[in-house]
Amino acid sequence: MKTYFSTSYKQDVNGYVEILVQIIKMMNMNASNSEVNDFLFEVGVNLANQHSVKAADTLSALHVEINEILSKLGFGVCQIEDANNRVIIKHHDLPVIEDREFRDKWLQYFSVIMCGLYNCWFRQTGAPAELICRIKEIIFPCDAVFEFKRA
């Protein structure tokens, strides 16, 4: 039995997604959109503080480290590109939900969590406070593009 659990058992991340969807649905019903967004951004910041990045010398080193953390969290993967006056983050494989009525709102809200994560991770590497992560584009069903640039 011990062998079965140590080699065959895989943790399924769908359970956390279902719980999170229910929490966000309830928040969406009981708070304004800006209150929900502010709260979820802070959730991302808190996650980034719990799963912090080390000081990276280069953007490519930061890219590798962020992807390692994203993989552990089950949050997909990203590509990070220097675009002169901003950083573009192309995020792939965000968690997908089955609920067709809430799917669009879910991806929007989960992207806000990701903004909090990215914002905090860049701060941890020394990025100045005037640079902020924003959602540039949401690509259904599970991708998003973020910009990290001056406000």
Side-chain angles (χ1 to χ4, degrees):
M1 189 66 112
K2 181 179 177 185
T3 305
Y4 170 79
F5 284 112
S6 64
T7 59
S8 301
Y9 177 76
K10 288 186 177 180
Q11 185 177 9
D12 188 1
V13 295
N14 289 332
Y16 92 84
V17 171
E18 288 182 35
I19 290 169
L20 187 56
V21 166
Q22 293 307 313
I23 291 169
I24 292 174
K25 278 183 174 182
M26 293 178 72
M27 290 171 60
N28 189 54
M29 290 186 301
N30 294 299
S32 72
N33 195 49
S34 65
E35 289 172 321
V36 175
N37 283 331
D38 289 348
F39 180 82
L40 293 175
F41 186 89
E42 287 302 313
V43 167
V45 168
N46 289 339
L47 274 171
N49 283 324
Q50 288 181 348
H51 303 276
S52 59
V53 295
K54 299 174 187 101
D57 298 8
T58 64
L59 196 56
S60 62
L62 179 61
H63 172 247
V64 169
E65 189 169 355
I66 286 175
N67 274 313
E68 287 175 6
I69 296 169
L70 291 172
S71 176
K72 288 177 192 173
L73 294 172
F75 286 1
V77 296
C78 72
Q79 296 171 282
I80 301 175
E81 303 168 4
D82 182 1
N84 293 327
N85 62 346
R86 67 188 191 276
V87 173
I88 303 292
I89 306 161
K90 296 177 181 175
H91 195 105
H92 307 284
D93 298 324
L94 290 167
V96 177
I97 65 169
E98 298 295 321
D99 184 337
R100 289 180 176 262
E101 292 178 26
F102 197 67
R103 186 170 34 195
D104 296 352
K105 200 75 159 155
W106 160 258
L107 192 53
Q108 174 70 35
Y109 282 142
F110 203 87
S111 294
V112 172
I113 294 171
M114 296 309 302
C115 269
L117 275 163
Y118 287 125
N119 207 61
C120 188
W121 282 332
F122 277 92
R123 291 278 179 283
Q124 291 169 357
T125 64
E130 61 266 11
L131 299 178
I132 297 175
C133 182
R134 290 207 169 89
I135 301 168
K136 181 177 181 187
E137 180 181 9
I138 294 180
I139 306 162
F140 293 96
C142 60
D143 293 349
V145 179
F146 303 91
E147 283 185 320
F148 190 72
K149 64 180 189 174
R150 293 198 189 285

